[in-house]
Amino acid sequence: MEPLRAFCGPIIHALSASELEIIPSGAIVVNSEGRIQLLLRDVNPNDPLGPITAAMPPAPPDQPPTPIAIHQLLPGRFLIPGFVDTHNHAPQWEQRGLGQGMHILDWLEAITFPNEARFADPSHARRAYASCIDGFLRQGVTMASYYGSLHGEATNILADLCLEKGQRAFVGKCNMSRHSPAYYRDASIQESLDVTEACIAHIRKVDPEGKLVKPVLTPRFAISCDNEVLRGLGEIAKHNPDLPIQTHFNEAEQEMKATKELFPEFENEIDLYGHFGLLGERSILAHCCHMTEYEMQRFKELRCGVAHCPASNMTVGGGFMAAPVREFMRRGIKVGLGTDSGGGYSSSMLDAMRLAIVASNAREVMSGGKDKGLSIAEVFYLSTLGGAEVCCLEGEIGNFAVGKAFDAIVVGTTGADQGIMTMVGEDEGLPMMFEKFVMTGDDRNIIQVYVQGRLVKG
Amino acid sequence: MEPLRAFCGPIIHALSASELEIIPSGAIVVNSEGRIQLLLRDVNPNDPLGPITAAMPPAPPDQPPTPIAIHQLLPGRFLIPGFVDTHNHAPQWEQRGLGQGMHILDWLEAITFPNEARFADPSHARRAYASCIDGFLRQGVTMASYYGSLHGEATNILADLCLEKGQRAFVGKCNMSRHSPAYYRDASIQESLDVTEACIAHIRKVDPEGKLVKPVLTPRFAISCDNEVLRGLGEIAKHNPDLPIQTHFNEAEQEMKATKELFPEFENEIDLYGHFGLLGERSILAHCCHMTEYEMQRFKELRCGVAHCPASNMTVGGGFMAAPVREFMRRGIKVGLGTDSGGGYSSSMLDAMRLAIVASNAREVMSGGKDKGLSIAEVFYLSTLGGAEVCCLEGEIGNFAVGKAFDAIVVGTTGADQGIMTMVGEDEGLPMMFEKFVMTGDDRNIIQVYVQGRLVKG
């Protein structure tokens, strides 16, 4: 009989945007499916097995109890949920950091399209995507919503590699049938849609239950899609009510102005994407920097989710933008964080959290004090449970609630685990270690990473 | 005869705020004093010795030529000047990352004073300062302007350790005779000044020529100093025309308001510090977030330098502030970067550069487009030559001009050096590698560090 695993030690996770639970000595029992069977909040570290056994449902009379393997965390270590990166361009992994100071459309032309075009070559895709997935797993990203390139084969490779390496992911072939150079554009409207359907079919074949990897509809943005492509994707969405949908939304003034010129019949992007049947609770809309009252209301009604990407919003893409995250949260609009690697210069969700604090502090000034800056607990929520909600995966991941998958990070903060972090002496408490990790840690403090109970780092 | 060393490979440094020099295949010849004897801009990597020997002054007729040891950089590596951190609180090294969301004076009371008070214990100081210096050298900070705690002995230990470990530094005992808790305050006005003089004397004894370590006058800020302390420090400055002076300046509204209440006789901080004889070209003024036209003009006339600290300005300390760096540069006011560790959450000058870009982008928006965001070349200048100018060390360090000390970093970007950086294939050029390093590198890409020719890392 495969033993249950019990991870024993300090545990920190978000119960909601306003509730950070800090458990100094707890235990998480994980079953053979990689699901959380039990969360205990007060376990004697010298005798974890006793209380765990007592809390387990009794074995049937004629069966022996399931054995339990104890994984006791070393001193200075604690467990947190894996990070959810709600907006990530997998083919841009290797170009990250380039193109500072460029506006979004110029950056696409000069840096991004030439790089993404290389994914026409499956061997390039295999090498670059393997590096990408390894790089994000190493940094604790247990779930990523990936934009692929426009290529069907490369997109299938990305999905295969996520499965193979054990990263939870949404994977989408990027639709772009116009307004990009001829060397990097869907061959036709029909091909754009056909390749999309083929990728969906492939991903459903390799992961029939979508346990780890799911397809996602991925129109790059309205500028790059003919009306027929948007309409076709809306049709696919209608016939596949489980499919998530992702696109860029109100990212930058240059982009919004170009969109308005192409679609003069729509007052705003929410009406545009809504018209084509692309908005609903499954929609993950990246950036959302500039929002009118009407768009805010529609977001709430439609239950769209926001992928907030502070790194790219404050650097590449057209200057400095601080999305109204506090206002989204106040209205109950779903928000998560995205690295936006490579528009975002950092591939670290820790940086995304820090930069979300910076952006929210700027927003506080720009709103005349109305939108208060975000706390560490709040950005941690955004990077875990908030992201899960945006992906409609809050029943599966985001924290350590019983029944969810065990997607987790073992954080180390002392001794050999320390990296560049520093501690105030030996007596540092758990809340302080956590705060230090969020503000000053990096992948060297991410000792082990689990996805659905499978060890994928460490 | 001790051989000269010739470092051969790609070299990148700032000639000025607007001129970044990229030398694909150069050589820097370093003499036994650790000074740059020669900078060659076009050296055949397959035969570096020939052109170097040809460029050397001929040996006297009766002496053999000085031997030259070639240090050829490995592929993917390049040389840049060491980073100059113009604002760094050494005793806060271990508290970095704590206190997010607090305003400056509350943060001092709750986090900083209790931590700094521990430096009354010399053994604590020795351990913590050794960790601090190692940590910054590891990250390529070859010169730091350090605030110590208020303790004389601990401050002397900091200076001794900088010398021992080979970090160039200004080291100052922090003056704070009032408005802090009784457990962490100078015992009296006289003691505040006496300890300052004793520290200056100690540092001049251990490094008589100030070749590596120099004392710096360090009134914490006006709030924490009685008038007699400020006056006494002004007197010391007058009698020691070589001494640099550092303090905090117009950091945050809460701090500025409290200063104004304590010193109603002064309209602003420039008149205040100027009155006490603390302003001049040797003054390193941290933050300078809120500047009137009058203060800008006085800065220029007095030749004061600005230590711009974007990490702390945008997080702890009272919300979000973006200092007018572009305006400083336009007016020819000296500016450098500071980590402000630990008000700044990051101890990395690479983060300081990235966050200086973020802050400048915010400033661009806030100034209605007038103050353009900073480029990578500009923030690189600020972190090297700009910082040297702020410290009046531009004749010594900041770039690879002949005659300067060899304070340098060997950056690695490929293979085992790669860290979390990623490259776009094999054909990536030097400018792109540099851009990537600045935006996405970390201490793992800092392979070797030299101060005055001495290898201090790697």
Side-chain angles (χ1 to χ4, degrees):
Chain A
M1 194 183 307
E2 203 174 335
L4 298 167
R5 284 173 296 170
F7 294 86
C8 303
I11 297 167
I12 301 178
H13 63 163
L15 301 177
S16 70
S18 57
E19 291 165 284
L20 180 73
E21 185 174 40
I22 299 185
I23 302 171
S25 182
I28 297 171
V29 177
V30 178
N31 69 17
S32 59
E33 243 99 85
R35 291 204 174 269
I36 298 169
Q37 185 155 338
L38 211 60
L39 169 63
L40 294 181
R41 292 180 160 81
D42 187 12
V43 173
N44 180 346
N46 297 318
D47 172 29
L49 198 55
I52 292 169
T53 310
M56 292 289 292
D62 53 345
Q63 280 177 29
T66 314
I68 297 172
I70 300 287
H71 293 242
Q72 181 70 49
L73 265 56
L74 296 175
R77 293 186 174 183
F78 56 88
L79 271 173
I80 59 170
F83 297 133
V84 179
D85 186 351
T86 58
H87 186 65
N88 187 317
H89 292 267
Q92 294 175 22
W93 166 248
E94 297 190 329
Q95 76 176 63
R96 192 165 30 82
L98 297 181
Q100 283 310 308
M102 287 183 174
H103 280 246
I104 175 78
L105 301 185
D106 310 315
W107 171 83
L108 286 170
E109 291 281 330
I111 309 277
T112 304
F113 291 152
N115 176 48
E116 290 196 7
R118 302 170 69 180
F119 287 76
D121 172 5
S123 70
H124 174 77
R126 193 164 284 112
R127 187 198 54 71
Y129 282 153
S131 165
C132 167
I133 296 165
D134 289 342
F136 283 103
L137 284 177
R138 168 182 173 186
Q139 296 179 87
V141 173
T142 52
M143 160 68 201
S145 192
Y146 282 129
Y147 287 57
S149 66
L150 67 73
H151 314 96
E153 188 171 357
T155 303
N156 292 347
I157 289 169
L158 175 59
D160 295 347
L161 286 170
C162 287
L163 259 182
E164 185 185 316
K165 292 175 177 289
Q167 186 176 45
R168 194 180 300 281
F170 292 167
V171 174
K173 168 253 181 302
C174 205
N175 297 95
M176 39 191 300
S177 58
R178 62 171 179 174
H179 294 128
S180 58
Y183 70 82
Y184 190 54
R185 191 194 299 157
D186 287 325
S188 67
I189 288 165
Q190 195 55 47
E191 172 155 322
S192 186
L193 296 169
D194 288 348
V195 174
T196 301
E197 302 234 46
C199 285
I200 295 169
H202 175 84
I203 296 170
R204 291 202 159 141
K205 195 181 74 189
V206 295
D207 190 357
E209 293 166 57
K211 203 173 148 189
L212 207 64
V213 181
K214 287 182 183 164
V216 53
L217 293 175
T218 308
R220 187 165 208 122
F221 57 0
I223 295 172
S224 75
C225 293
D226 289 283
N227 289 24
E228 294 78 3
V229 168
L230 293 173
R231 190 170 297 119
L233 293 173
E235 282 298 310
I236 298 175
K238 195 166 132 194
H239 295 109
N240 294 271
D242 64 318
L243 275 191
I245 304 159
Q246 61 187 352
T247 195
H248 297 80
F249 193 93
N250 287 2
E251 178 173 3
E253 284 173 19
Q254 189 194 29
E255 166 270 318
M256 290 167 71
K257 189 161 165 285
T259 306
K260 193 89 182 68
E261 280 166 16
L262 283 171
F263 296 91
E265 64 273 35
F266 298 110
E267 273 301 307
N268 49 59
E269 294 189 14
I270 199 123
D271 287 347
L272 191 171
Y273 290 108
H275 170 82
F276 291 107
L278 294 167
L279 297 185
E281 66 172 344
R282 298 172 286 145
S283 305
I284 304 169
L285 301 176
H287 306 304
C288 307
C289 296
H290 305 275
M291 298 290 288
T292 62
E293 174 59 32
Y294 170 76
E295 285 174 311
M296 284 277 190
Q297 285 178 17
R298 290 293 289 149
F299 255 61
K300 176 73 174 155
E301 289 160 14
L302 292 163
R303 310 203 51 224
C304 298
V306 176
H308 173 47
C309 306
S312 51
N313 295 167
M314 300 193 294
T315 54
V316 82
F320 182 98
M321 294 160 293
V325 175
R326 173 65 67 200
E327 182 65 23
F328 291 136
M329 292 170 78
R330 192 182 286 130
R331 291 171 185 250
I333 293 169
K334 300 184 288 181
V335 198
L337 293 184
T339 58
D340 193 11
S341 163
Y345 62 80
S346 173
S347 56
S348 161
M349 286 293 287
L350 290 165
D351 272 334
M353 284 189 252
R354 295 164 202 158
L355 293 170
I357 290 177
V358 165
S360 72
N361 287 342
R363 189 80 198 180
E364 181 170 341
V365 171
M366 290 168 173
S367 71
K370 183 172 143 280
D371 292 343
K372 288 284 168 229
L374 298 171
S375 68
I376 287 179
E378 286 171 326
V379 295
F380 179 71
Y381 154 79
L382 293 177
S383 72
T384 54
L385 186 57
E389 289 165 350
V390 167
C391 297
C392 292
L393 291 174
E394 70 276 15
E396 281 292 301
I397 55 167
N399 64 14
F400 296 126
V402 169
K404 291 194 185 187
F406 184 66
D407 285 17
I409 296 170
V410 176
V411 177
T413 57
T414 55
D417 300 343
Q418 199 167 337
I420 209 71
M421 274 184 69
T422 55
M423 305 300 281
V424 186
E426 299 301 303
D427 52 347
E428 200 142 353
L430 186 55
M432 214 181 255
M433 284 205 282
F434 173 69
E435 196 175 341
K436 281 275 185 76
F437 168 65
V438 172
M439 295 309 296
T440 73
D442 64 27
D443 56 290
R444 284 168 284 195
N445 305 107
I446 292 175
I447 311 301
Q448 285 155 352
V449 179
Y450 292 87
V451 179
Q452 192 95 26
R454 172 178 167 191
L455 184 66
V456 292
K457 174 186 180 174
Chain B
M1 194 184 307
E2 204 175 331
L4 298 168
R5 284 173 296 171
F7 294 86
C8 303
I11 298 167
I12 302 178
H13 64 162
L15 301 177
S16 70
S18 57
E19 290 164 286
L20 180 73
E21 185 175 39
I22 299 185
I23 302 170
S25 181
I28 297 171
V29 177
V30 178
N31 69 19
S32 58
E33 243 98 86
R35 290 202 175 272
I36 298 168
Q37 187 155 336
L38 211 59
L39 170 62
L40 294 181
R41 292 182 161 81
D42 187 11
V43 173
N44 180 346
N46 297 317
D47 172 28
L49 198 55
I52 292 169
T53 310
M56 292 290 291
D62 54 344
Q63 280 177 29
T66 315
I68 297 172
I70 299 289
H71 293 241
Q72 181 70 50
L73 265 56
L74 297 176
R77 294 187 174 182
F78 56 89
L79 271 173
I80 60 169
F83 296 133
V84 179
D85 185 352
T86 58
H87 186 65
N88 186 317
H89 292 266
Q92 294 175 23
W93 166 248
E94 296 190 329
Q95 77 176 63
R96 193 165 29 82
L98 297 181
Q100 283 311 307
M102 288 183 173
H103 280 245
I104 175 77
L105 301 186
D106 310 314
W107 171 83
L108 285 170
E109 290 282 329
I111 309 278
T112 303
F113 291 152
N115 176 48
E116 290 196 8
R118 303 169 70 179
F119 287 75
D121 173 5
S123 69
H124 175 77
R126 193 163 285 110
R127 188 198 54 72
Y129 282 153
S131 165
C132 166
I133 296 165
D134 289 342
F136 282 103
L137 284 177
R138 169 182 173 185
Q139 295 178 89
V141 173
T142 52
M143 159 69 200
S145 193
Y146 282 129
Y147 287 58
S149 65
L150 66 73
H151 312 96
E153 189 171 356
T155 303
N156 292 346
I157 288 169
L158 175 59
D160 295 348
L161 286 170
C162 287
L163 260 182
E164 186 185 316
K165 291 175 178 289
Q167 187 177 44
R168 194 180 300 282
F170 293 167
V171 174
K173 168 253 182 303
C174 204
N175 297 95
M176 38 189 303
S177 58
R178 62 172 179 174
H179 295 128
S180 59
Y183 71 83
Y184 189 55
R185 190 194 298 157
D186 287 325
S188 67
I189 287 165
Q190 195 56 47
E191 172 155 322
S192 186
L193 296 170
D194 288 349
V195 174
T196 301
E197 302 232 48
C199 284
I200 294 170
H202 174 84
I203 296 170
R204 290 202 159 142
K205 195 181 76 191
V206 296
D207 190 358
E209 294 165 58
K211 202 173 148 189
L212 208 64
V213 181
K214 286 182 184 164
V216 53
L217 293 175
T218 307
R220 187 166 207 123
F221 56 1
I223 294 172
S224 74
C225 292
D226 289 284
N227 289 24
E228 295 79 2
V229 169
L230 294 173
R231 192 170 297 118
L233 293 174
E235 283 297 311
I236 298 175
K238 196 167 132 192
H239 295 109
N240 294 270
D242 63 318
L243 275 191
I245 303 159
Q246 62 186 352
T247 194
H248 296 81
F249 193 92
N250 288 1
E251 178 172 4
E253 284 174 17
Q254 189 193 28
E255 167 270 317
M256 290 168 72
K257 190 161 163 285
T259 306
K260 193 88 183 67
E261 281 166 15
L262 284 171
F263 297 91
E265 65 272 36
F266 299 109
E267 271 302 307
N268 50 58
E269 295 189 15
I270 198 123
D271 287 348
L272 191 172
Y273 291 108
H275 170 83
F276 290 107
L278 293 166
L279 296 185
E281 67 172 343
R282 296 172 287 144
S283 305
I284 304 168
L285 301 176
H287 306 304
C288 308
C289 295
H290 305 275
M291 299 290 288
T292 62
E293 175 59 31
Y294 171 76
E295 285 175 310
M296 284 278 190
Q297 286 179 16
R298 290 292 289 148
F299 255 62
K300 175 73 173 156
E301 288 160 15
L302 293 162
R303 310 201 52 222
C304 298
V306 176
H308 174 46
C309 306
S312 52
N313 295 167
M314 300 193 294
T315 54
V316 82
F320 182 99
M321 294 160 293
V325 175
R326 172 65 67 201
E327 182 65 25
F328 291 137
M329 292 170 78
R330 193 183 286 131
R331 290 170 184 251
I333 292 169
K334 298 185 290 181
V335 198
L337 293 185
T339 58
D340 194 11
S341 162
Y345 62 80
S346 172
S347 57
S348 161
M349 287 291 287
L350 290 165
D351 272 333
M353 284 189 252
R354 295 164 203 160
L355 293 170
I357 291 177
V358 166
S360 73
N361 287 343
R363 187 82 198 179
E364 180 170 341
V365 171
M366 290 168 173
S367 72
K370 183 173 142 279
D371 293 343
K372 286 284 167 227
L374 298 171
S375 68
I376 287 180
E378 286 171 326
V379 295
F380 180 71
Y381 155 79
L382 293 177
S383 72
T384 53
L385 185 58
E389 289 165 349
V390 167
C391 297
C392 291
L393 291 175
E394 70 276 16
E396 281 292 301
I397 55 168
N399 64 14
F400 295 126
V402 169
K404 292 194 184 186
F406 185 66
D407 285 18
I409 297 170
V410 176
V411 177
T413 56
T414 55
D417 301 344
Q418 199 167 334
I420 208 70
M421 274 184 69
T422 55
M423 305 301 280
V424 186
E426 299 301 304
D427 52 346
E428 200 142 354
L430 186 55
M432 214 181 255
M433 284 205 283
F434 172 70
E435 196 176 341
K436 282 274 186 77
F437 168 64
V438 172
M439 295 310 295
T440 73
D442 65 27
D443 56 290
R444 285 168 283 195
N445 305 107
I446 292 176
I447 310 303
Q448 285 156 349
V449 179
Y450 292 87
V451 179
Q452 193 93 27
R454 173 178 166 191
L455 184 67
V456 292
K457 173 185 179 176

